[in-house]
Amino acid sequence: MYRKAPRIARILTCAVAAPALLVMAGCSSDSGSGSGSGSDGGTKKDQSAAAKQTPSAAPTVAPAKFAKLPDVCKAVTKDTVGELVPQAEEPGGTADKSSDPEIRRGCSWKGLDDKGVKGSQYHYLTYLLQRFESNLVLGNGEKRADQELAKQVTKVKGKDGAKDSRTNPVSGIGDAASMTSYQARESGTDFQHAVVVARTGNVVVTLDYNGSGYSGAKLPDSADLMKGAQKAAKEVVASIAAANK
């Protein structure tokens, strides 16, 4: 009996210890599994975070076609000026004063051609060039110029006091163009106008060729004014391309 007691004690000790070892082994196994799962999850999270932090490509806009404007009073040849504005007061033209001549320039000529007993013919030629740069917010230069083209055409068509106004598209002048012909009374005198609004690349050209008759002379012929306006507009458009070569 004294011999059996130690043996029974050892058996009970082992029986109690075995579940504890199993529990410890189980905990150790779970911990290892959890650690491995946590490691994989952490890697995926890190990759996802890194992907979100990768900078996206910066937004861009196509550069404008033309970077500069021509010498504005030389955009129409001397011969054309002499033909359209006989007896011009300033043969070299009068340049508009602009706060930003790289973006906006204009020039004009005026002259009174005395016809003696047949009266006198007054002619006035003026044009304005506006260049639009590409902008991330406002769009590329061509798009902005298109918007200005539409704006100017609407403005010419809606001129106060205009009579017999007619607007039609014109081909062969830049990328897009229209012509408006109308009569208007200005400072007590009747004038006949031919206005060409054209876009070439990112530049808009608004050209007005008009005239009046004095001392019994009739108004200039509408067809002649329109022909002259188109000729001058084509030269202006060509000068823009030449200035950017």
Side-chain angles (χ1 to χ4, degrees):
M1 207 168 158
Y2 290 104
R3 288 182 176 177
K4 292 180 180 180
R7 184 178 180 184
I8 292 173
R10 284 197 302 271
I11 292 173
L12 292 174
T13 299
C14 290
V16 173
L21 291 173
L22 290 173
V23 171
M24 291 178 64
C27 291
S28 177
S29 175
D30 290 342
S31 176
S33 175
S35 175
S37 175
S39 178
D40 291 341
T43 300
K44 291 178 181 178
K45 290 180 180 179
D46 291 344
Q47 291 174 346
S48 177
K52 290 181 179 179
Q53 292 175 1
T54 301
S56 58
T60 60
V61 61
K65 183 176 182 180
F66 298 123
K68 58 183 179 180
L69 296 174
D71 186 337
V72 71
C73 287
K74 293 182 179 179
V76 174
T77 66
K78 291 182 179 179
D79 289 344
T80 297
V81 170
E83 176 188 338
L84 301 184
V85 190
Q87 305 301 317
E89 293 180 7
E90 295 288 342
T94 302
D96 289 355
K97 294 181 180 180
S98 173
S99 59
D100 193 348
E102 296 303 315
I103 299 297
R104 181 186 177 99
R105 294 182 185 180
C107 193
S108 61
W109 292 261
K110 60 182 178 180
L112 185 64
D113 187 16
D114 189 351
K115 298 293 184 180
V117 296
K118 294 182 179 180
S120 301
Q121 288 282 336
Y122 175 82
H123 292 92
Y124 185 72
L125 173 66
T126 182
Y127 51 79
L128 175 68
L129 281 60
Q130 297 181 81
R131 184 176 65 84
F132 295 86
E133 297 179 339
S134 293
N135 185 289
L136 285 175
V137 176
L138 301 176
N140 64 44
E142 283 75 5
K143 176 183 176 182
R144 297 179 66 198
D146 256 337
Q147 294 171 341
E148 181 64 21
L149 173 71
K151 178 181 176 181
Q152 289 299 323
V153 171
T154 299
K155 182 178 179 181
V156 174
K157 290 170 63 177
K159 181 177 174 61
D160 291 340
K163 298 185 300 181
D164 300 326
S165 180
R166 300 186 304 276
T167 300
N168 296 291
V170 179
S171 61
I173 304 178
D175 298 310
S178 74
M179 168 168 282
T180 300
S181 174
Y182 67 90
Q183 286 185 24
R185 191 164 182 81
E186 301 164 12
S187 301
T189 302
D190 291 327
F191 281 81
Q192 182 71 44
H193 289 257
V195 182
V196 174
V197 182
R199 177 184 70 81
T200 175
N202 56 307
V203 179
V204 174
V205 178
T206 304
L207 182 146
D208 185 353
Y209 180 40
N210 62 77
S212 182
Y214 289 91
S215 302
K218 295 181 179 180
L219 283 174
D221 183 71
S222 176
D224 289 342
L225 290 178
M226 287 191 290
K227 182 179 179 181
Q230 290 183 63
K231 180 178 181 179
K234 288 179 181 178
E235 290 185 5
V236 174
V237 167
S239 74
I240 295 169
N244 284 271
K245 287 184 177 179

